[in-house]
Amino acid sequence: KNYAKLLDAYSQFSPSPLSIKKFIDFGLNACETTSYIFLRKELPVRLANIMKEIALLPENLLRMPSVNAVHQWYMTSFREILEFEKMDDITPRNLRNFCDSIVKIRNRHSDVVETMAQGVIELKESHDVDQQTEHSIQYFLDRFYMSRISIRMLINQHTLLFGGQLERAPGPTQSKYIGCIDPHCNLVCVIKDAYENARFLCDQYYLDSPELIIEQHAINELKAESDVRIVYVPSHLYHMLFELFKNSMRAVMEYHGQNEQYPPIRLTISKGKEDVCLKLSDRGGGIPRSLHDQLFKYMYSTAPQPSKSDAHTVPLAGYGYGLPISRLYARYFHGDLVIMSCEGHGTDAVIYMKALSNEANELLPIFNKTTSKFYRTGYPIGDWTNQATSLNSRQISMQC
Ligand code: W6P
């Protein structure tokens, strides 16, 4: 069909990553027509690139009703955007329709994460999922959600800049925002906001919560009174911090008995030439090293919950998709999120961000031959002994 050809055509183009600086520069000389011309090509390119990967998913997964629904949403949205590529003249009416159209697309895709998670549960309940399949799904979901973050960023920038009075970025300094970017994002403000909201949940469930101690360091400037500021998307940072605070608070509350003093969560802000780092240190007893890799796995966190019905009464329960998606937010502008734990003591989580907005480039998945090769051949079977196999071989030889 015509549609498959167009999908092929658009997936041949690589997405064009923008830096935070480019988003800002563009926002300052905001021209709706330029933005429109860029997006009506770039959005279908980004959609097509990830849709080609959806098509490579294990068949079992692709057949799950939820995954199929998501696939349909993408196809519908791809078609809708392409309508604008056909138009030659650019009228105010086109521009208005385009805005309406991308808002509609954003709404259509608002539950993609939950729906894909449901699809993974459906797969688990109906099939045995081998290591290979699990690995492919992990690889796919990281790329898929990153693509989604980037597409929503583009849509948000356009609709916030040109969508009229109705939409405004949240926060007290709304007038200074450029779309959803705060050029003077006060880290301490975002940290306190995330902490207070996580603490509210913690207090509800545990009737108490650990304190927060913030410490700031910077290479030059920075007097004790001035807070570190960066150019960033506060909502992304909030998302990461809220997730990390919830995890730390739960660990602290569970590790220390009632009537004990709860050790505070320490947060160190540092600003260097290249990186801005936020290190959250809890004394929640840590996690074993064997669990570390599981923290970022979608399949691990989607293990069918034993008690779905009372999920709402346990506000801090489960790792969910929170950590893997938080790490994607960090990586989206070439930062990172790493966790290092010492079992028996506590856990450090570090959010890395680029200090320079021109180095904070979008990190985007590109569909190409390597990608499809990955889905075919997957990852190499281990060529190191592991604990399980060495135990097995000993058991076998002892049985003999
Ligand atoms: C823990 C486990 C964890 C994950 C992520 C962030 C903080 C923490 N603390 O004990």
Side-chain angles (χ1 to χ4, degrees):
K1 226 169 93 183
N2 186 29
Y3 154 82
K5 261 196 182 151
L6 285 166
L7 192 63
D8 275 337
Y10 278 88
S11 71
Q12 304 282 318
F13 295 104
S14 287
S16 310
L18 299 174
S19 64
I20 294 188
K21 180 162 193 317
K22 290 233 181 74
F23 276 116
I24 295 271
D25 290 346
F26 184 81
L28 290 174
N29 322 287
C31 167
E32 186 170 359
T33 305
T34 314
S35 179
Y36 164 78
I37 290 169
F38 173 70
L39 288 183
R40 71 175 179 178
K41 164 93 185 287
E42 184 65 13
L43 287 173
V45 166
R46 293 192 187 193
L47 289 170
N49 268 266
I50 205 64
M51 286 162 79
K52 292 290 278 186
E53 279 188 56
I54 297 179
L56 294 177
L57 280 173
E59 266 175 57
N60 291 340
L61 182 58
L62 215 47
R63 276 199 303 266
M64 294 300 129
S66 302
V67 179
N68 190 51
V70 171
H71 196 183
Q72 300 288 336
W73 296 340
Y74 271 77
M75 291 191 283
T76 306
S77 299
F78 181 71
R79 282 206 194 88
E80 281 178 11
I81 294 273
L82 286 187
E83 287 302 309
F84 295 93
E85 277 271 76
K86 292 182 198 152
M87 301 171 186
D88 300 319
D89 48 338
I90 299 161
T91 64
R93 195 162 154 263
N94 287 158
L95 295 175
R96 178 104 323 270
N97 287 342
F98 183 72
C99 254
D100 293 347
S101 194
I102 59 178
V103 167
K104 210 168 104 193
I105 290 171
R106 184 173 61 199
N107 293 337
R108 175 181 300 128
H109 291 249
S110 63
D111 295 335
V112 159
V113 176
E114 294 80 357
T115 312
M116 282 304 285
Q118 182 57 39
V120 172
I121 290 172
E122 287 164 4
L123 178 71
K124 276 187 172 176
E125 285 175 350
S126 58
H127 297 79
D128 276 331
V129 182
D130 60 20
Q131 282 256 303
Q132 173 62 59
T133 306
E134 193 166 314
H135 195 259
S136 302
I137 293 173
Q138 177 74 20
Y139 179 88
F140 169 76
L141 289 178
D142 271 334
R143 298 167 63 83
F144 179 67
Y145 293 138
M146 188 65 107
S147 161
R148 179 172 181 270
I149 288 170
S150 84
I151 290 168
R152 293 179 90 75
M153 179 77 191
L154 295 180
I155 292 178
N156 287 342
Q157 286 307 98
H158 188 84
T159 55
L160 285 166
L161 290 171
F162 310 112
Q165 302 277 319
L166 288 173
E167 289 187 82
R168 273 278 158 83
T173 54
Q174 50 181 227
S175 57
K176 300 218 170 84
Y177 274 62
I178 293 166
C180 58
I181 301 171
D182 184 352
H184 311 283
C185 178
N186 184 329
L187 294 179
V188 171
C189 285
V190 183
I191 290 163
K192 286 190 171 157
D193 190 20
Y195 168 75
E196 288 302 333
N197 288 329
R199 169 182 226 185
F200 175 80
L201 297 181
C202 188
D203 283 332
Q204 264 192 340
Y205 188 64
Y206 295 104
L207 308 177
D208 204 351
S209 50
E211 298 293 320
L212 172 67
I213 298 174
I214 302 178
E215 225 181 281
Q216 302 194 55
H217 302 278
I219 274 190
N220 336 317
E221 70 233 71
L222 206 74
K223 293 148 204 86
E225 315 87 62
S226 66
D227 288 338
V228 174
R229 288 172 183 273
I230 60 165
V231 189
Y232 207 70
V233 182
S235 62
H236 291 183
L237 181 58
Y238 174 87
H239 187 106
M240 298 181 250
L241 287 165
F242 183 57
E243 183 60 30
L244 293 177
F245 277 128
K246 282 190 295 180
N247 282 308
S248 284
M249 285 177 186
R250 183 176 61 156
V252 170
M253 302 312 287
E254 298 280 342
Y255 190 61
H256 297 270
Q258 279 169 0
N259 309 321
E260 252 185 90
Q261 268 294 99
Y262 296 107
I265 295 168
R266 292 179 188 275
L267 196 150
T268 311
I269 305 172
S270 69
K271 186 171 193 289
K273 290 199 189 85
E274 221 180 289
D275 300 315
V276 173
C277 317
L278 304 178
K279 182 171 81 174
L280 285 84
S281 308
D282 71 54
R283 287 171 55 194
I287 54 162
R289 216 153 47 92
S290 61
L291 224 83
H292 175 271
D293 288 349
Q294 307 302 317
L295 290 177
F296 294 102
K297 287 200 176 144
Y298 300 101
M299 295 291 280
Y300 171 73
S301 48
T302 36
Q305 304 262 319
S307 51
K308 257 182 219 158
S309 53
D310 62 4
H312 60 282
T313 63
V314 191
L316 294 180
Y319 291 116
Y321 274 25
L323 284 176
I325 292 199
S326 293
R327 186 168 66 177
L328 293 180
Y329 276 116
R331 289 182 173 173
Y332 173 46
F333 283 122
H334 277 83
D336 207 353
L337 190 160
V338 304
I339 286 174
M340 171 153 154
S341 197
C342 296
E343 193 186 15
H345 174 65
T347 302
D348 284 356
V350 185
I351 298 170
Y352 293 98
M353 291 171 290
K354 286 287 185 189
L356 304 171
S357 61
N358 60 317
E359 289 184 3
N361 255 305
E362 285 183 294
L363 174 67
L364 302 172
I366 299 174
F367 177 78
N368 59 28
K369 286 213 175 63
T370 324
T371 317
S372 30
K373 203 163 134 196
F374 175 88
Y375 284 100
R376 278 202 312 277
T377 59
Y379 77 120
I381 330 245
D383 46 7
W384 294 88
T385 57
N386 63 40
Q387 211 179 5
T389 52
S390 53
L391 269 175
N392 283 344
S393 52
R394 176 143 96 241
Q395 278 159 357
I396 289 164
S397 62
M398 281 167 65
Q399 278 166 1
C400 288

